[in-house]
Amino acid sequence: MTIGEYSQIYRGKRVVEFRMGATPDGGDVVYRLTQDYDSAESQRALLDDFLAKVDPAGLETLIVGPWSEAHDEGPQGYLDALIEYRARLPKLNALFVGDMTYEDCEVSWIIQTSYNPLLAAYPQLQSLRVRGSTNLELQAFSHAALEELAIECGGLPSKIVDAVAGSTLPALKHLELWLGSDNYGFDGSLADYQNLLAKIGPERLRYLGLRDSEISDELAVWLAQQPWLGSLQSLDLSLGTIGDAGAQALAESPHLGALERIDLSHHYISEQWQAKLRALPCAVVLDDPEEEDDGDRYVAVSE
């Protein structure tokens, strides 16, 4: 599977595309800045055109969609301009960088950049979502307002996981990481995620997503043993390779507590264990069952 659709709804609002020279639709919507592969304008020029046509002081959420030649250059032009314009954007609290499909650029080919300067410039930022991990840089940081951190990719380097583990994020409620495949940059192990969750204090999370993972079974077996599991509202292990070992651990866990939802979409779980999962007191999503290919399992999103 590849990413074939743009976001249609983001943070509860309809997403509207904005291209160079366009007239904003108006209304309570979220805009996605969009360039073609060979767009002539720079990233800054598109952002400038957009900000000249909306009220920057009232802008709360922004999506950066496909940028020109995303497999060759990152979104640095956008980030530099946003940092420069921070005084003009006092209410900007949610940013998604990289909302593009495989037709724009495969997820593992999207060039990214460093996000520490942006995070420092926007202490009010509540949500940061990034798609793509090639050249992605992140060092441990402190941020008092960040409630949601999401990194979507086909292979998550352990150095990024370590950076999040070393960060001070007292407001964090939603942590979503796509681990991906070792063919596209994943170089982690269960120990990396055990360390991450020990460091960040998982009992305060409402959503934990360790998605698109080749080690879904290992993660599920370990998570099922954690007393804090039931403090979550939602556990998301979708897009990965979970099978009966992980399913059994979750089905028999004594720590589900008040957990409301477990998402295991794209799975390798037998009918027997699917039935036992469906009998749990929480909602369990078991869409997109897969079959092993000569004993091999594959994550949903890699290239």
Side-chain angles (χ1 to χ4, degrees):
M1 186 185 100
T2 54
I3 297 173
E5 296 182 354
Y6 301 108
S7 300
Q8 301 299 314
I9 302 292
Y10 190 63
R11 295 178 69 82
K13 298 181 180 181
R14 182 170 62 94
V15 176
V16 175
E17 184 177 82
F18 181 88
R19 292 177 177 270
M20 190 71 178
T23 300
D25 285 7
D28 193 16
V29 299
V30 173
Y31 287 99
R32 177 176 53 240
L33 306 182
T34 299
Q35 290 183 300
D36 292 324
Y37 174 79
D38 56 354
S39 291
E41 77 278 355
S42 67
Q43 295 173 13
R44 179 182 290 261
L46 178 55
L47 180 60
D48 285 345
D49 186 47
F50 171 68
L51 293 179
K53 296 173 180 176
V54 299
D55 174 18
L59 188 68
E60 296 182 354
T61 305
L62 181 64
I63 297 176
V64 174
W67 55 86
S68 183
E69 301 186 34
H71 65 284
D72 282 333
E73 66 174 333
Q76 194 65 53
Y78 284 123
L79 269 58
D80 287 345
L82 286 170
I83 292 168
E84 181 180 332
Y85 300 157
R86 59 189 178 274
R88 299 173 58 195
L89 300 164
K91 292 186 178 180
L92 184 64
N93 60 40
L95 182 65
F96 177 9
V97 182
D99 185 15
M100 62 185 79
T101 73
Y102 73 93
E103 292 185 332
D104 301 307
C105 187
E106 295 282 7
V107 65
S108 291
W109 301 358
I110 299 171
I111 302 297
Q112 276 293 346
T113 186
S114 172
Y115 280 81
N116 287 84
L118 177 88
L119 288 160
Y122 284 87
Q124 79 276 18
L125 198 68
Q126 296 174 3
S127 174
L128 176 63
R129 179 173 291 269
V130 176
R131 180 173 293 164
S133 60
T134 299
N135 294 352
L136 177 64
E137 294 183 21
L138 189 68
Q139 286 77 44
F141 64 99
S142 295
H143 200 290
L146 196 67
E147 298 178 358
E148 176 180 12
L149 177 63
I151 302 174
E152 306 177 6
C153 63
L156 186 65
S158 57
K159 66 179 183 179
I160 301 298
V161 180
D162 292 343
V164 178
S167 297
T168 302
L169 305 170
L172 191 67
K173 298 177 182 177
H174 178 119
L175 178 63
E176 180 180 347
L177 302 175
W178 294 25
L179 282 61
S181 165
D182 58 11
N183 291 322
Y184 292 94
F186 173 70
D187 59 359
S189 67
L190 175 61
D192 294 302
Y193 295 89
Q194 290 173 324
N195 176 63
L196 167 67
L197 290 164
K199 292 286 183 61
I200 67 170
E203 63 279 351
R204 68 212 175 85
L205 296 177
R206 293 297 171 261
Y207 169 98
L208 174 62
L210 299 175
R211 308 180 68 193
D212 199 46
S213 173
E214 294 181 326
I215 60 170
S216 296
D217 271 329
E218 293 178 66
L219 289 167
V221 169
W222 178 73
L223 288 166
Q225 301 169 21
Q226 305 312 303
W228 50 261
L229 181 63
S231 65
L232 297 173
Q233 290 181 349
S234 180
L235 173 66
D236 191 345
L237 300 177
S238 64
L239 307 180
T241 61
I242 192 168
D244 285 359
Q248 180 176 357
L250 292 171
E252 297 177 351
S253 173
H255 301 302
L256 298 184
L259 189 64
E260 298 175 2
R261 188 174 190 267
I262 303 174
D263 192 342
L264 304 176
S265 303
H266 187 276
H267 62 84
Y268 294 81
I269 302 170
S270 68
E271 290 288 348
Q272 174 190 358
W273 284 105
Q274 287 185 56
K276 293 184 178 182
L277 287 167
R278 290 191 178 98
L280 290 175
C282 59
V284 181
V285 183
L286 291 162
D287 297 341
D288 302 323
E290 301 289 327
E291 294 185 3
E292 292 185 357
D293 183 2
D294 293 328
D296 293 324
R297 301 179 188 177
Y298 299 95
V299 298
V301 179
S302 54
E303 186 176 23

